[in-house]
Amino acid sequence: MAKIITCNTNGIRSAAAKGFFDWLQAEQPDVVCIQETKAQVHQLSDPVFSPAGYYCFYNDAVKKGYSGTALYCKVKPRKVITRLGWDPADSEGRYIQADFKGLSVISLYMPSGSSSDEVLQKKLRFMDIFMEHLKALRRKRRELIICADWNICHQAIDIKNWRGNRKNSGFLPEERAWLDVLYDELGYVDSFRVINTEPEQYTWWSNRGQARANNVGWRLDYQVITPKLVDKVRSASIYRDQRFSDHAPQIMEYDVDIPA
């Protein structure tokens, strides 16, 4: 059984101060995918950022205190990929991939498009280019687990106030259609929804008002898998007992081994 956790920490140093790494040691996942580290590697010299028993890989943004991804693995990957050959994926550290025998696990941080039309256009361009990468991945003879903060809710069940957000980035028709292509045409599967079809299963809440306390949230964080892994999904949960960031960790268990 492989336990995989994905979490947008909104600053890995901030999450560490809130007990994130103590919680990880208690959970003992096989792979951890982190988005929005907001730190350079040289700022993470404290041993807490290299948890015992894990191979740790970071992909930083050029800009300090911005974006960034990370992967922790109990099994040493055969290869780690941090470059896709285009920006802003590379310059903002938005992608990291660990290759094992026949299986790849990816941590992805999709740009947000909520602050202005300019950043929305940046996000849509990223989505267009990244879709081609997703197509190329499907042509490879390996299974995939893509742990991502997509910054998109797919369906009304994935967002509390869906009617009021239809014109806001994160729930725009073109963003949701992009996920339709991901699932319906490319064949990827939202692993969480394989066994949990309940409403109000959110992973992000605004810091405004009492959004988290009232569970007025968005499900932005996903583990997307290839079809052959569907019957391997064993459990799906969102951890809300502790607050490490404005996102909550999403935990999946698969009846697979992480092969060396």
Side-chain angles (χ1 to χ4, degrees):
M1 192 75 69
K3 180 190 288 187
I4 298 181
I5 292 176
T6 186
C7 184
N8 179 316
T9 58
N10 193 16
I12 196 167
R13 290 170 292 178
S14 173
K18 296 171 183 174
F20 179 69
F21 286 94
D22 293 333
W23 174 73
L24 279 186
Q25 286 295 341
E27 285 289 321
Q28 284 296 304
D30 295 277
V31 181
V32 182
C33 292
I34 296 172
Q35 302 86 40
E36 208 169 2
T37 56
K38 289 186 172 181
Q40 318 294 124
V41 167
H42 68 83
Q43 297 173 311
L44 304 177
S45 57
D46 189 305
V48 72
F49 300 110
S50 301
Y54 291 90
Y55 298 92
C56 301
F57 307 94
Y58 289 92
N59 188 15
D60 305 339
V62 173
K63 180 180 177 181
K64 291 184 178 180
Y66 182 73
S67 191
T69 49
L71 257 170
Y72 307 151
C73 316
K74 281 190 173 181
V75 174
K76 186 177 182 179
R78 295 186 171 195
K79 183 179 181 181
V80 174
I81 298 168
T82 59
R83 293 292 179 265
L84 296 179
W86 51 276
D87 286 327
D90 292 354
S91 62
E92 295 181 356
R94 291 186 176 275
Y95 183 92
I96 186 166
Q97 173 179 331
D99 287 349
F100 306 95
K101 183 180 180 182
L103 173 71
S104 293
V105 181
I106 294 165
S107 182
L108 168 74
Y109 179 38
M110 180 79 76
S112 171
S114 60
S115 62
S116 69
D117 186 64
E118 182 181 355
V119 297
L120 174 59
Q121 294 308 313
K122 170 186 169 181
K123 178 182 182 180
L124 295 175
R125 287 192 299 271
F126 188 103
M127 290 162 57
D128 286 344
I129 301 171
F130 194 68
M131 181 62 77
E132 296 306 310
H133 178 65
L134 291 166
K135 291 177 182 177
L137 286 173
R138 285 290 281 128
R139 292 193 290 267
K140 297 182 181 294
R141 292 185 176 181
R142 59 178 45 248
E143 302 309 317
L144 301 161
I145 301 174
I146 304 173
C147 297
D149 174 2
W150 289 120
N151 264 312
I152 305 170
C153 290
H154 187 213
Q155 298 175 332
I157 193 177
D158 299 313
I159 179 172
K160 183 70 170 183
N161 293 328
W162 66 269
R163 288 184 179 87
N165 282 292
R166 286 175 291 182
K167 294 184 179 180
N168 294 328
S169 180
F171 201 60
L172 293 171
E174 56 265 45
E175 294 171 317
R176 299 169 61 203
W178 187 88
L179 287 179
D180 287 339
V181 172
L182 181 74
Y183 300 137
D184 299 340
E185 296 184 23
L186 272 61
Y188 288 96
V189 178
D190 177 356
S191 63
F192 186 84
R193 289 301 186 201
V194 170
I195 58 174
N196 188 325
T197 58
E198 296 298 315
E200 301 188 353
Q201 303 295 298
Y202 307 131
T203 62
W204 178 84
W205 302 263
S206 170
N207 286 321
R208 297 176 182 175
Q210 296 293 316
R212 191 169 185 134
N214 296 323
N215 201 24
V216 181
W218 304 49
R219 191 168 71 96
L220 300 176
D221 305 270
Y222 299 70
Q223 294 191 31
V224 171
I225 59 176
T226 39
K228 289 185 179 179
L229 293 176
V230 170
D231 64 356
K232 305 296 185 183
V233 176
R234 291 295 177 266
S235 71
S237 62
I238 297 167
Y239 181 75
R240 293 187 55 188
D241 291 352
Q242 295 170 266
R243 183 172 181 170
F244 306 122
S245 80
D246 50 352
H247 292 252
Q250 202 252 306
I251 309 167
M252 298 293 305
E253 289 185 313
Y254 305 92
D255 188 11
V256 298
D257 293 323
I258 303 293

